[in-house]
Amino acid sequence: MTSADDAIRLLAGSRARARIEREGLRPRDIVGVAAAAGGPKGLALLPLDRWVFGDWLPRDPASATRRVLAGASIGAWRMAACAQREPLAALDRLEQAYLERQRYPLRPSPRHVSQVCREILQALIGGDARDFLQGMHPRATLAVVTARSAARRDGPLALRSGFARAALSNAVSRERLAAHLSRLAFVAGDDTALLPALPPDRFGAHTAALSAEALEDALLASGSIPLVADPVRNIAGAPGGDYWDGGLIDYHLYWRWSALDGVVLYPHFAPRVTAGWLDKLLPWRSHGVGAAGRDWLDNVLLVVPSDTMLARLPGGRLPDRKDFHRYGLRHDARLSHWRSAIGECARMAEALARFVERPDPTRLEPLRP
């Protein structure tokens, strides 16, 4: 029988490894948590989120550590829940709404998908946006990552042609994508804690306040995939334009995390960090951003499901967006498999808890860009 310890792989940058070898892994060491885009794959990380934010980090309430919680798409939704003083209730609302509300027809329109996602976020927020923001942990800095297009495009043909041009530009060079999209992070909390980690690239380090008026729209924009959902336009307190899924630029948040003094914990679903969503199918660009970012992940600890863990899941894989097509209108069958995957992935939380209690540096694999 497989032990819980076999459920995860731990990949550490050189600074993270040295710190863990010297001091173990303590709540006070965690200065950031990163959360990738990835649609339903993020469901598998909810048990880890519950243990990290509901059990482990609160064990050191006297710590003055300010933590950056940054995410794109479902990663932003998870981090918005985790940033709360009561994270378990918020994560429960997110999980329930994400599972139950996404019962789409066979060919849902982008407008329909956007409306369903808005309902999920309304359930997560749970009422008044001001109350949600006031309910954040006082030492949390939440960053909801979006991709902004200054050019407004109306109609399916204009959207398709615009996205195709962006994809072709990215295939030539990641920097060329910056002619089409810029990065904008909506931030609640002290943005000075976030700014050092934002990459010094052509996409920019733009931020805007995550106000009550902007909260729902910013979270929706962060998960609005082109051609699948509608863009979110003219978000309160931010420059005009069309706002899209933050994963287009920051799929796995390949940021300059090494600028933060401490360990950045990264529960993830893959043993690599890919910069942009459009890079994932480009083998020469599926890892890192090149020589300029070679040391950016030195203080990152990546926690990913092991092959043994994946083999336990329905179909031997994590939930993913293709499941909507695989299962079609068989919503209950899809949800049964997703719930089974979430339940199995509780082993990942158990394994990380064991490692924290008895750190074994020999289990740390090198995290290479």
Side-chain angles (χ1 to χ4, degrees):
M1 180 173 290
T2 303
S3 72
D5 291 350
D6 296 327
I8 57 173
R9 294 173 61 190
L10 298 167
L11 293 85
S14 57
R15 275 172 51 196
R17 181 186 184 100
R19 189 162 190 151
I20 293 168
E21 287 177 341
R22 186 173 65 248
E23 301 170 350
L25 188 62
R26 305 167 300 179
R28 71 187 67 175
D29 298 326
I30 306 302
V31 293
V33 181
K41 291 185 182 73
L43 295 172
L45 303 175
L46 292 176
L48 264 176
D49 292 337
R50 288 188 169 97
W51 181 77
V52 168
F53 289 93
D55 185 344
W56 182 48
L57 294 182
R59 293 180 192 176
D60 191 4
S63 170
T65 303
R66 175 164 288 279
R67 297 186 180 97
V68 173
L69 278 55
S73 193
I74 194 172
W77 301 3
R78 288 170 45 225
M79 291 300 98
C82 293
Q84 296 289 294
R85 286 193 187 92
E86 301 293 338
L88 297 183
L91 287 166
D92 286 347
R93 294 195 302 270
L94 174 60
E95 178 181 332
Q96 180 68 14
Y98 195 95
L99 290 172
E100 289 298 337
R101 299 196 182 221
Q102 296 195 89
R103 295 173 178 264
Y104 297 110
L106 286 178
R107 294 179 183 83
S109 68
R111 177 174 295 183
H112 181 66
V113 172
S114 291
Q115 180 56 39
V116 169
C117 290
R118 189 175 288 278
E119 291 171 2
I120 293 171
L121 294 170
Q122 289 169 345
L124 165 61
I125 294 168
D128 190 280
R130 288 176 179 80
D131 291 341
F132 187 85
L133 291 173
Q134 289 172 2
M136 280 182 52
H137 195 285
R139 292 191 298 277
T141 293
L142 172 65
V144 175
V145 184
T146 68
R148 173 180 170 263
S149 170
R152 174 169 174 162
R153 294 184 173 88
D154 293 304
L157 184 59
L159 286 170
R160 286 180 184 276
S161 62
F163 185 59
R165 286 194 294 273
L168 286 172
S169 296
N170 184 77
V172 175
S173 164
R174 174 168 162 82
E175 286 199 346
R176 292 198 179 191
L177 182 62
H180 302 269
L181 297 169
S182 61
R183 173 189 296 111
L184 194 143
F186 290 86
V187 182
D190 181 8
D191 68 354
T192 61
L194 169 75
L195 293 176
L198 292 174
D201 56 24
R202 291 187 60 194
F203 296 104
H206 312 294
T207 64
L210 187 61
S211 64
E213 293 75 21
L215 178 62
E216 187 179 307
D217 280 346
L219 287 167
L220 180 61
S222 189
S224 292
I225 303 170
L227 311 180
V228 174
D230 286 336
V232 179
R233 288 188 167 143
N234 302 329
I235 301 176
D242 286 357
Y243 286 81
W244 293 104
D245 194 317
L248 291 171
I249 297 172
D250 294 307
Y251 184 40
H252 291 169
L253 276 80
Y254 200 107
W255 284 6
R256 190 169 54 179
W257 293 113
S258 58
L260 304 184
D261 184 17
V263 175
V264 173
L265 182 66
Y266 195 160
H268 196 19
F269 42 78
R272 61 188 175 279
V273 182
T274 300
W277 185 70
L278 293 166
D279 298 326
K280 62 181 180 178
L281 298 179
L282 305 177
W284 61 92
R285 218 185 297 159
S286 61
H287 291 258
V289 293
R294 201 169 299 282
D295 65 348
W296 289 1
L297 307 183
D298 280 356
N299 62 335
V300 171
L301 176 64
L302 208 67
V303 184
V304 302
S306 66
D307 289 344
T308 303
M309 178 74 253
L310 293 174
R312 299 184 63 91
L313 304 182
R317 56 175 176 77
L318 298 171
D320 64 48
R321 198 160 56 85
K322 292 179 182 177
D323 286 341
F324 290 114
H325 302 287
R326 291 187 183 105
Y327 288 93
L329 298 178
R330 295 183 297 121
H331 305 303
D332 289 342
R334 171 175 54 81
L335 292 177
S336 175
H337 281 189
W338 283 8
R339 287 193 173 96
S340 176
I342 295 170
E344 289 288 350
C345 286
R347 295 171 183 271
M348 295 177 63
E350 294 169 11
L352 184 57
R354 285 174 180 262
F355 180 82
V356 165
E357 291 299 322
R358 295 184 178 178
D360 178 3
T362 65
R363 296 200 56 202
L364 299 176
E365 304 174 43
L367 175 56
R368 296 191 177 97

